[in-house]
Amino acid sequence: MNVKKLEEVCDFISGLWTGKKPPYVNVGVIRNTNFHKSGNLNFSDIAQLEVEVKQFSTRQLKFGDVVLEKSGGGPKQPVGRVCVFEKEDGLYSLSNFTSAIRVKNPKELDYKYLHYYLKHLYIAGETEKIQTHSTGIRNLQLSLYKDFLVPLPPLSTQKKIVAKLDAIFAEIDKATAAAEANAKNAEALFQSYLTEIFERGGEDWFELRLQDLLDKGWIVSHLDGNHGGDYPRKEEFISSGVPYISANCLDGDVLDLSKSKFLSKERASKLRKGLAKTDDVLFAHNATVGPVSILKTTEEVTILGTSLTYYRCNKDFIEPEYLANYMRSAKFKNQYLTIMRQSTRNQIPITKQREFFHVIPPLEQQKELLKKFNIFLSMKTFYESKTLNKINELFLLKQSILQKAFAGELVKE
């Protein structure tokens, strides 16, 4: 089979910044946030920018362009996703965090075949091997990306491969959507129950600010984003020692301590804040805002990264499990979402957290409610786990099918 480097068969087109020299034109700009997991672009939230006419003339997206995410990503999401642009009207370009890949000769390479092949490279982890990391952002080494070899069977074979993959992936996407719907239904049922409980309340229930609770000693300690001493550097982490956890250890509301990093006892002793203990309620207040979990550990101290706040409960007044469930409710979420809408920063500072209202019933009622909460929470967790397993299975199936497609096993020439 004939193979060529990607740069031999495709042109690469850079994205745009906001215009500085007139004349300008208003265009829709594709960003990383417009990438849908299906491989299609989501046009429901397109940014409109005034860009230079001169620059736009060479950077306008065309039908059949493949849009590549070259910068961005995150700890759980490597950079290198690809989506296909299939609009025939409108003025569109792309952000500087992306590049457009355009087929040079449509008689040699089908754009849909190219899209599937580049998706195959991403799913197989090939793009992760050629990324660099800086300030939490991943960057694709574009020069190495252009060196990827593209298998080029006859155009008729490429189209047959695309037709088969379209049909198979449509069924897989349908199964994935069904699994996700089950998890969403379980979450909706859980939220509905929490809303009913917290909205109804009771005559002897309190609605108090976090600051008031602090004054009463009900919740006695928080991480304010300043560790005291200097912040741990990457090279200071060791293979075992005092656990150091960040919001990356939270998968939804589940705390995965296997993702912890570690500091030496000597280094940890120099940090005066973020010293969490078992049964502390953890709240992700920075970057990925919202997840809530309870720390369960036999360690005397666990160090928290600045992305987490801990709430320490006086169990004579409030159960940690009750507080965690309240913080998962829509009643509580609406409070921090309101703050986030009023700010350009994706975080909830400690000064704002002190103003949160918490609904607190008497302790005995908390314990009774927890029995009911746990039933709904167990159901929610079961379906989420089942959904995750199903989605992982379907993801591996896609990976296997793409492997066969580009090994010549799906369609014979």
Side-chain angles (χ1 to χ4, degrees):
M1 182 188 299
N2 187 25
V3 296
K4 289 185 179 181
K5 287 185 178 181
L6 192 54
E7 66 177 350
E8 293 181 83
V9 292
C10 297
D11 291 318
F12 283 74
I13 301 156
S14 299
L16 286 171
W17 294 104
T18 304
K20 295 182 179 179
K21 295 181 180 180
Y24 303 126
V25 61
N26 187 272
V27 304
V29 175
I30 304 297
R31 301 166 294 168
N32 307 45
T33 53
N34 299 117
F35 281 55
H36 191 271
K37 59 188 175 182
S38 66
N40 298 318
L41 288 167
N42 179 0
F43 288 88
S44 63
D45 183 29
I46 296 292
Q48 298 290 325
L49 289 183
E50 292 284 329
V51 300
E52 296 175 23
V53 170
K54 184 177 179 181
Q55 287 194 2
F56 179 64
S57 65
T58 59
R59 290 175 170 84
Q60 182 174 0
L61 284 173
K62 296 181 179 180
F63 185 94
D65 285 346
V66 176
V67 183
L68 166 70
E69 175 192 43
K70 65 180 183 181
S71 295
K76 299 178 184 178
Q77 181 176 285
V79 76
R81 294 178 297 165
V82 286
C83 286
V84 63
F85 181 82
E86 294 183 301
K87 271 191 173 290
E88 294 181 330
D89 55 357
L91 301 179
Y92 292 92
S93 187
L94 58 162
S95 77
N96 208 47
F97 275 37
T98 61
S99 286
I101 304 174
R102 184 171 297 160
V103 172
K104 291 181 178 180
N105 182 3
K107 294 182 179 180
E108 179 186 32
L109 176 60
D110 180 80
Y111 77 89
K112 286 188 176 182
Y113 173 87
L114 173 67
H115 177 230
Y116 272 121
Y117 180 68
L118 297 179
K119 182 186 287 190
H120 161 59
L121 292 178
Y122 177 75
I123 290 178
E126 294 301 317
T127 58
E128 192 164 10
K129 298 174 184 177
I130 58 170
Q131 351 190 322
T132 59
H133 302 252
S134 62
T135 61
I137 295 178
R138 296 185 179 215
N139 298 292
L140 202 63
Q141 297 182 70
L142 207 56
S143 60
L144 297 179
Y145 191 84
K146 292 177 181 180
D147 284 340
F148 279 132
L149 295 176
V150 183
L152 293 170
L155 192 64
S156 59
T157 303
Q158 294 179 35
K159 292 182 178 296
K160 288 178 182 178
I161 291 173
V162 168
K164 278 211 168 188
L165 289 176
D166 279 349
I168 295 170
F169 275 38
E171 292 301 315
I172 293 176
D173 289 342
K174 190 185 298 183
T176 301
E180 290 174 340
N182 287 335
K184 286 180 180 178
N185 289 339
E187 169 68 19
L189 184 61
F190 179 64
Q191 286 297 332
S192 175
Y193 179 70
L194 291 182
T195 297
E196 179 189 353
I197 294 297
F198 295 127
E199 291 295 337
R200 185 178 65 205
E203 293 182 0
D204 50 356
W205 289 35
F206 300 94
E207 186 171 285
L208 299 174
R209 289 186 309 157
L210 181 56
Q211 182 64 58
D212 297 326
L213 296 179
L214 283 169
D215 290 344
K216 292 176 181 293
W218 287 16
I219 303 177
V220 297
S221 187
H222 301 300
L223 170 62
D224 63 3
N226 178 6
H227 280 69
D230 57 323
Y231 188 77
R233 297 183 298 276
K234 186 186 299 184
E235 61 269 19
E236 292 184 292
F237 293 117
I238 57 179
S239 58
S240 63
V242 179
Y244 175 98
I245 61 176
S246 66
N248 294 333
C249 299
L250 283 173
D251 188 0
D253 292 328
V254 177
L255 179 63
D256 185 355
L257 291 176
S258 70
K259 297 178 180 177
S260 302
K261 297 179 181 179
F262 299 94
L263 293 169
S264 68
K265 288 185 178 180
E266 181 183 5
R267 183 67 182 91
S269 68
K270 297 179 180 178
L271 301 174
R272 298 188 298 275
K273 295 185 178 180
L275 310 180
K277 298 182 178 182
T278 194
D279 285 340
D280 283 350
V281 178
L282 307 184
F283 174 60
H285 70 262
N286 192 9
T288 306
V289 177
V292 178
S293 192
I294 298 178
L295 178 62
K296 294 291 184 181
T297 179
T298 57
E299 299 285 343
E300 185 177 346
V301 169
T302 297
I303 308 295
L304 299 189
T306 54
S307 56
L308 294 172
T309 300
Y310 69 80
Y311 299 165
R312 187 165 300 156
C313 299
N314 182 334
K315 295 182 182 179
D316 290 335
F317 299 101
I318 185 168
E319 291 286 340
E321 290 82 2
Y322 172 84
L323 180 61
N325 277 298
Y326 172 73
M327 293 177 67
R328 292 175 181 133
S329 71
K331 190 175 181 68
F332 178 77
K333 288 180 180 179
N334 287 337
Q335 295 184 61
Y336 67 73
L337 289 175
T338 298
I339 292 172
M340 290 174 67
R341 282 193 290 267
Q342 297 169 350
S343 172
T344 57
R345 304 181 67 183
N346 195 31
Q347 65 178 36
I348 310 294
I350 192 66
T351 53
K352 294 296 185 180
Q353 291 183 51
R354 292 178 187 275
E355 298 173 7
F356 286 153
F357 279 87
H358 294 264
V359 177
I360 313 294
L363 190 62
E364 289 305 313
Q365 288 189 42
Q366 293 178 36
K367 293 177 179 179
E368 287 301 313
L369 285 171
L370 281 174
K371 295 176 184 177
K372 298 176 181 178
F373 286 160
N374 288 336
I375 294 173
F376 284 88
L377 187 59
S378 296
M379 184 188 305
K380 171 178 172 287
T381 303
F382 170 78
Y383 279 107
E384 286 176 344
S385 176
K386 190 175 180 181
T387 297
L388 183 60
N389 290 337
K390 184 66 175 178
I391 289 174
N392 285 338
E393 289 175 8
L394 294 170
F395 177 82
L396 292 174
L397 179 58
K398 279 189 174 183
Q399 186 176 16
S400 173
I401 291 168
L402 285 170
Q403 180 66 39
K404 289 180 179 179
F406 296 107
E409 300 174 16
L410 194 64
V411 172
K412 300 297 181 181
E413 292 186 36

